[in-house]
Amino acid sequence: MACQPITETKTTKKSMLDFKYPYKTKFVELSNEIKVAYVDEGKGDQTLIFIHGLGSYLPAWKKNMEVLKADYRCIALDLPGYPKSSKGDYAYNMTFFADVILEIIAELKLKNPVLVGHSMGGQVAMTAALKSPDVLEKLILIDPAGIERFNEKESALLKSLLTAESVKNTPVEQIKKNFDVNFAAGLTPEDAMFMYNDRLYMRETAEEYEHYCRMIPKCVAGMLDEPVFEELKTLKMPTLILFGEQDYLIPNKYLHQKLTTEKVAQSAKAQIPNSQLFMVPNAGHFAMWDNAQMVNETIQTFLKE
């Protein structure tokens, strides 16, 4: 699918801050001079905090916030290092991101919020829940990382394949394929093409993109080096687990060929005591986008229980 070229005047300096977000962007200042960009929509007795996945950003929750904000306060954010939030020489591991989420909860004075995490954001949410279980009311995990386990050899291989240089040199055609595999149809839907276009724009932001290329391998290493699976049995809070039936990314199709998405999902349900599992039909790794209606309805039912 051809993309519309992005034009600019010679006096314009490209920045990820130029990304058009669906709602007014706010900023919260945290320790270590970290500023986190977020959107805050809707009102209600419960607050949902949406945490995006690897290489993603807060607009990925657009289809969910648009519906759920009618009954709940919905906060979606860019994790540090991602488009509109601070960029720096941070650890970019799960503990770092979890601490950021917990500090945001304290800074915004949120009472018993619900964390909604997708992919890497799911592992961040689980890490935060394990660190401070009394701060959270419920947990919602959508195609979460951290359930599929990798041994030392597999982890070393994955980390060796993903470097700052390899991210930077990824051809445009491969970037498109990387987006396509997130969706059930194996093709990025038209209404999600803005994500791909933003990624292409990101490649022209010079210093910001250099930082992005250094950050992504750190995020992957963080997921691999800080496993949560064994600890999940200690979680007490009600937890909703959703997996797209056509998730082509979980499990890893090269390392775990005999494993299925449903087996990974069932292992999550078995490990988390007070949990329920819903396999989302007609949905891939981006289940909350592919089948937003069913994901939203399932979340609403869960929150009312």
Side-chain angles (χ1 to χ4, degrees), residues 102-253:
L102 294 171
E103 190 174 352
I104 288 172
I105 291 171
E107 191 67 27
L108 298 183
K109 296 179 172 57
L110 304 177
K111 302 298 182 183
N112 302 316
V114 177
L115 295 188
V116 187
H118 172 240
S119 195
M120 181 187 78
Q123 190 168 345
V124 171
M126 289 184 281
T127 304
L130 290 167
K131 285 175 67 72
S132 300
D134 295 337
V135 172
L136 308 173
E137 182 176 340
K138 292 182 176 181
L139 202 56
I140 299 174
L141 308 172
I142 303 177
D143 296 270
I147 304 301
E148 180 182 10
R149 287 165 286 174
F150 300 91
N151 60 38
E152 270 188 48
K153 186 176 180 181
E154 291 170 337
S155 294
L157 175 62
L158 291 172
K159 285 187 278 189
S160 69
L161 292 174
L162 190 69
T163 65
E165 199 65 23
S166 68
V167 174
K168 183 178 180 180
N169 293 329
T170 304
V172 171
E173 296 77 11
Q174 186 59 49
I175 292 176
K176 180 59 165 58
K177 291 178 181 178
N178 293 345
F179 271 91
D180 290 344
V181 77
N182 281 278
F183 300 95
L187 189 68
T188 306
E190 186 62 36
D191 63 1
M193 280 297 292
F194 71 91
M195 302 182 195
Y196 170 66
N197 289 329
D198 282 348
R199 180 65 58 80
L200 295 188
Y201 185 85
M202 189 188 297
R203 286 162 60 93
E204 301 179 30
T205 61
E207 290 181 10
E208 289 180 331
Y209 190 63
E210 291 282 347
H211 171 271
Y212 174 86
C213 294
R214 294 191 300 270
M215 174 189 68
I216 291 297
K218 289 185 178 181
C219 292
V220 172
M223 287 186 276
L224 294 167
D225 293 341
E226 294 185 302
V228 293
F229 186 81
E230 294 302 328
E231 297 178 71
L232 296 179
K233 58 191 174 186
T234 66
L235 288 180
K236 302 278 195 302
M237 68 194 64
T239 300
L240 173 63
I241 306 160
L242 301 104
F243 269 91
E245 289 184 351
Q246 289 80 42
D247 188 327
Y248 305 129
L249 294 179
I250 298 176
N252 185 294
K253 63 181 180 179

Side-chain angles (χ1 to χ4, degrees), residues 13 20 23 25 31 33 59 66-67 72 109 133 138 148 156 167 177 180 184 197 224 231 241 247 272 275 277 291:
K13 182 178 180 180
K20 297 186 184 304
Y23 307 107
T25 307
S31 58
E33 300 183 342
E66 193 59 33
V67 172
Y72 308 98
K109 296 179 172 57
K138 292 182 176 181
E148 180 182 10
V167 174
K177 291 178 181 178
D180 290 344
N197 289 329
L224 294 167
E231 297 178 71
I241 306 160
D247 188 327
I272 303 174
S275 66
L277 169 65
N291 197 341

